Amino acid sequence: MTEPWRDPLLPVSVRVADLLERMTLEEKAGQLTAFWARPSDPGAPVAPVEDDSGESAPRLDQVATHGLGQLTRVFGTAPVTAKAGTERLASLQRQVTAAGRFGIPAVVHEECLTGFMTWGATVFPAPLAWGASFDPELVRRMAAAIGAGMRRAGVHQGLAPVLDVVRDYRWGRTEECIGEDPCLVGAIGTAYVQGLEGAGIVATLKHFAGYSASRAGRNMAPVAVGPREFADVLVEPFVRALREGGARSVMNSYTDVDGVPVAADERLLTGLLRGELGFTGVVVADYYAVSFLETRHGVTGSRGAAGALALTAGIDVELPTARCYGEPLTELVRSGSVPEELVDRAAQRVLLQKAALGLLDPDWEPAAPEAVDLDPPENRALARLVAERSTVLLVNDGTLPLRPCRVAVHGPYADEPRSLLGCYAFPNHVAAPGEPGLEIATLGEALGAAGFTVTADDPDVNVLVLGDRAGLFGRGTSGEGCDAESLDLPGDQAALASAVLDSGVPTVLVVVSGRPYALGTAAERASAVLQAFLPGEEGATALARIISGAAEPSGRLPVSLPRRAGGQPGTYLHAGLGGRTDWSSVDPTPLFPFGHGLSWTTFAFSDLAVDPEAPTDGAVTVSATVRNVGGVAGTEVVQLYLSDPVASVVRPQRWLAGFARVELPPGAAARVAFCVHADRTSFTGLDLRRRVEPGEIGVAVGRSSGDLPLQGSFTLRGPVRHPAADRVLSVPAEIVPVK
């Protein structure tokens, strides 16, 4: 007779309950641990390790004696082909199933922030570029393609997307974020989750919560924010990605918030995440975050105590390998210091997810080793499309698009293909010398392929490539642990730009970076300026197509571009006194505002219509006409902003509520109608409860947060209302062509 837990026809809750009853404490605790199989050769190129315990890594037979929860980055740790990776994964899974009494395989997780992070897989643009696209549907398609490759290789879980809202551009992980606005981050991040989950891969939201608000933009530095900023800005994208995206996993933030490390904060990981937001999936620790409670935060004095704190807070699985959740934790349970019910709680969540993934089924088999093409032509085409739609044209005096001519390509990264990639792209993340394992054109090569004559002698136009080289922990100018002291261009790039501009030759400035930089007078002197946020393996081809006019620059800034290198933080989402005032000598007005971006054509906005009023539990329609008044086809991103002139707490001057990409041929127009529910005006009140207040709400529609030609308002009437957990999170837009 088949044991109930192995019967796939039974409800997963019944199967898991039966399995838990059969398990010993050690077997349940084994499901909460992971194993990172790293090369034994100390000279092998591998991903960097953040562990500072000084201890040697355990062996698989030591970790998986009683079962194992997860296998860490079998593909994303050292260079390995897809076939060799699946062979190694199958071998590891056979060891895991043979070691445990129940023969349960491990969940396999990998990074996927710019694509499946393994040797030879497509490197898509970095998340800041996703935000610049303002195109959730395209991001959903990209995530589905990433998930399909991971699924075929035998991977179950992806550690993405990052939903941290950018608060300080100096933070090295800005490139991993989608933008500085919670509406944009929520919309794009939710689309990514839907694409990944739709492909059968468990999406992992990170980093919950507050990571991006670290002091001075320094990685892992303490966070000191008020409860309203925390709830209304930093947590808000997670709410939407959980509710509308259906993400099945969450990863904690490394930081402490007001002195409490998130990995030990039961109020956040259980009270807020599960109690208020209704999350029922698995919380995984960021790598070594449980250990850091002992080694970096200093809130415990032993491995077991760190494990007990994290387990109590709500972290179900310790990643990347077992240190605190193995024997040190079970010893505390045996002694009565830690309730066994906490182990049961976490093990149940892990096993429920394994059952849903088919890992408890009797016919489960590891993925068959095969020579999978992880960089097929359709992926490259999609990567190029994302790169094109996320490139932002900041300035243009008419020089672009260029007809074929003689161009000189200058700059420190003009001939370095890895400068196009983010820090979580395999060639930059893993210390792999030599070739990046992919065909990646430089901008000079791409311009040559597009018909230009690339020369250093007597060019008609200079193309100056500036920006970043992404890396980790000081190996780059952008990326995890690569924080900046100021927003000046790294090194001597500003001086180089000045020298090239002094030549008198028309110059197209191309900034390929992981954060916005203060370009100073270079932006005013250049004939044109293009901003690309680490556009991936097809980035050079996309930029060449835009420069030549074969493609349109339809990206919009997901972060403001500062006018000066100091004065951080400087995002657009601030109260009135956070902007330019007569009471401070510092003017934080950006050089280019959030949402800014030009096209090959021009657009006009007209005919704003706003429903005059709605109840505090109702909705209004805001509509406007956008017309292409130029001579070529183009795309405008219609942006809707709201404001609250009088509220019980200080509110931002304006906040993005909705947006729509509108493609129009010359002379054509479209009517864009936004349905704005009163919930989209809600905020955290004095009593720390979310509320909708009656009164006037300002409306503005235009092409950026700093260019809003249409202004209006509506009135909310009725009592103060406290929205429930099912509050409306988005503002849908309808686009209708008009004559």
Side-chain angles (χ1 to χ4, degrees), residues 31-54:
Q31 296 299 313
L32 315 185
T33 61
F35 176 72
W36 194 352
R38 301 174 65 83
S40 57
D41 178 4
V46 293
V49 177
E50 301 161 80
D51 183 23
D52 52 10
S53 66

Side-chain angles (χ1 to χ4, degrees), residues 596-644:
H596 171 75
L598 306 177
S599 177
W600 298 146
T601 187
T602 53
F603 298 89
F605 290 81
S606 63
D607 303 325
L608 177 69
V610 185
D611 290 344
E613 63 180 51
T616 52
D617 61 354
V620 300
T621 297
V622 177
S623 60
T625 297
V626 57
R627 184 178 298 276
N628 182 348
V629 296
V632 297
T635 303
E636 180 62 285
V637 179
V638 179
Q639 301 167 43
L640 167 67
Y641 293 83
L642 301 179
S643 59
D644 194 345

Side-chain angles (χ1 to χ4, degrees), residues 26 53 57 92 202-203 323 353 379 493 526 541 574 622-623:
E26 285 76 14
S53 66
L92 290 170
V202 175
R323 182 175 183 268
Q353 190 167 95
N379 273 21
Q493 294 186 68
T541 300
H574 58 73
V622 177
S623 60

